[in-house]
Amino acid sequence: MSSRILIIDFGSQFTQLIARRVREARVYSEIHPPTRSLEWIRSWNPTGIILSGGPNSVYGENVPLAEHELLDIAPILGICYGMQLIAHLEGAKVIRSDKREYGRAETKVIAPGGLFAGFDKGESLTTWTSHGDHIDEPPKGYQVVAESARNPVSAFRHESRPIYGVQFHPEVAHTPRGAELISNFLFGVCNAEASWTPGAFVEEEITKIKKLVGKSRVICGLSGGVDSSVAAALVHRAIGEQLTCIFVDTGLMRLHERDQVERTFKSSLGVKLVAVDASEQFLTRLAGVSEPEEKRKIIGHTFIDVFEEAAAKVGDDVDFLVQGTLYPDVIESASPSGGPSVTIKTHHNVGGLKPGMAFKLIEPLRELFKDEVRNVGRELALPEEMVARHPFPGPGLAIRILSDVTKEKLDLLRAADAIYLEEIREAGLYDEIWQAFAVLLPVRSVGVMGDERTYENVLGLRAVTSVDGMTADWYPFPHDVLGRISNRIINTLPGINRVVYDVSSKPPATIEWE
């Protein structure tokens, strides 16, 4: 990749948004901690560097700072705390404040060009602010390029070097023209190339996977979800029959899940697929268990047992295991280590596998966000119903039955969930929703069907909108759609006589019920 932007994370809640905005402009970016050394940063060879915002004051104790030499490595854009850090490193005074400035502000452009190319002098733009400290005067050698009524230095630039700072957040949707500012930095200041595309990613990863795997055999735990499906398809494109996918049918899947996986991977893509029906084993171990965490542990341990047995039958010459780790997982679990996309490391306890099973782990998607994974899946010609699928929990329908798990309850919930999703698709709403699912409640209610009294199950429906699943709002279904869903479920499925809709946001509720 010829152009790449290094984002140094000083703790902003919006740091991932910065990376997304850069990648939406088709320029590759990575997020790294401020502990990266100057030597590491120089060797990473960034086309430009963005310093994120953060909750700290540059004068605080044990706060993340940076060395002055950082400003000489590549063009710099400091956002909020990042701007204050530039000012601090360049000898300017950052004014400490007990009050936080938060919300919309009208920012006036004083000096067009550079970051504000395409704007007129005196033009006002709406920006989103979220900071405590501020700067009253720019450092020596810098000029003010934007101001607001509450902030005389809303943006500055160095008079001769490619260093910019803004006291607002261009990466958030509340700054409507923020994408233009980021684009100006990328292409006008850094001279970056817009070469980060799904096609380019696929070609690069295929080359790396071939080189790293050689003639070794590889296995992949295929769940049917977006991440594992795209990872498997990408590795298969690279090494063909050297890959064997293992699909464990837990009996806790959605309707026709196994058929869809087998049809897509075995029949359409020609992937070597081993499907293991372990539904009876899972049901036996789950019998009588209602507590959600206990369910999760049982399902996790059972899956490991079944997967290990299936993996052992593939052969003794398997050296690699494919896993669909995504970039948010990497950011949240540990500081990214940089380096090539196809990260290979020896795992003696991958996903809870027994210590005796040592594999080298292939994570070809660990640089990607969820939307990018979907686009790579489309590039690999995976069917849209698989690529655009809503998230589905690893323990499956077991945690959507809020009582003990039985085959009868699973079949009832599976059928209801299928009707729910089918009606959402029919209404053209599926792609507007982050996640939709049905929950079988441990409640029975009285009803009347025909001339008879009924006493049957209550079904809960959940649908949310979200960007990353960290926060979520309940989806405002048109009333006629909800009515149609409820009527069809009740009239079609004996055992359910009442349907309710969950209107809780996250927080305070979670997306799943268990």
Side-chain angles (χ1 to χ4, degrees), residues 17 23 90 154 222 232 293 310 331 363 372 408 459-460 466:
L17 276 181
R23 292 187 180 192
E90 293 282 62
S154 288
L222 189 60
E293 281 307 306
I331 297 168
E363 298 173 301
E372 294 171 329
E408 291 73 26
L459 186 79
S466 180

Side-chain angles (χ1 to χ4, degrees), residues 204-395:
E204 187 174 333
E205 293 305 301
I206 285 173
T207 300
K208 290 177 180 177
I209 293 167
K210 285 181 177 178
K211 181 179 178 181
L212 288 163
V213 171
K215 296 182 179 180
S216 297
R217 296 181 68 189
V218 180
I219 58 172
C220 174
L222 189 60
S223 69
V226 178
D227 305 339
S228 69
S229 297
V230 174
L234 180 55
V235 174
H236 180 258
R237 178 75 65 89
I239 61 172
E241 291 191 356
Q242 291 171 249
L243 172 69
T244 299
C245 289
I246 299 173
F247 176 79
V248 177
D249 184 353
T250 63
L252 309 173
M253 305 290 188
R254 284 178 168 169
L255 193 66
H256 305 314
E257 184 103 40
R258 177 173 174 177
D259 293 341
Q260 182 193 42
V261 170
E262 290 187 318
R263 183 174 65 251
T264 300
F265 283 89
K266 185 182 286 186
S267 303
S268 300
L269 300 180
V271 175
K272 194 182 299 181
L273 178 65
V274 176
V276 182
D277 185 353
S279 53
E280 287 298 326
Q281 192 170 341
F282 278 86
L283 272 174
T284 299
R285 294 190 183 183
L286 285 168
V289 178
S290 298
E291 205 278 320
E293 281 307 306
E294 185 64 20
K295 287 182 189 176
R296 290 176 186 273
K297 288 179 182 177
I298 291 170
I299 292 166
H301 292 157
T302 306
F303 181 89
I304 290 166
D305 291 342
V306 174
F307 184 84
E308 287 180 344
E309 184 178 345
K313 293 178 181 178
V314 173
D316 297 328
D317 55 344
V318 175
D319 295 325
F320 296 91
L321 173 67
V322 178
Q323 188 163 294
T325 307
L326 303 192
Y327 197 39
D329 302 325
V330 175
I331 297 168
E332 291 167 10
S333 62
S335 297
S337 59
S341 314
V342 183
T343 301
I344 303 290
K345 52 188 176 182
T346 301
H347 272 234
H348 293 277
N349 196 23
V350 176
L353 297 181
K354 291 188 176 73
M357 297 191 72
F359 293 112
K360 294 174 184 175
L361 186 63
I362 303 178
E363 298 173 301
L365 308 179
R366 66 179 283 120
E367 290 179 346
L368 303 184
F369 290 103
K370 190 79 170 188
D371 53 333
E372 294 171 329
V373 172
R374 296 188 197 278
N375 288 332
V376 168
R378 294 181 179 102
E379 185 72 23
L380 294 167
L382 286 174
E384 189 65 20
E385 63 178 357
M386 181 170 283
V387 171
R389 179 185 175 182
H390 291 174
F392 187 67

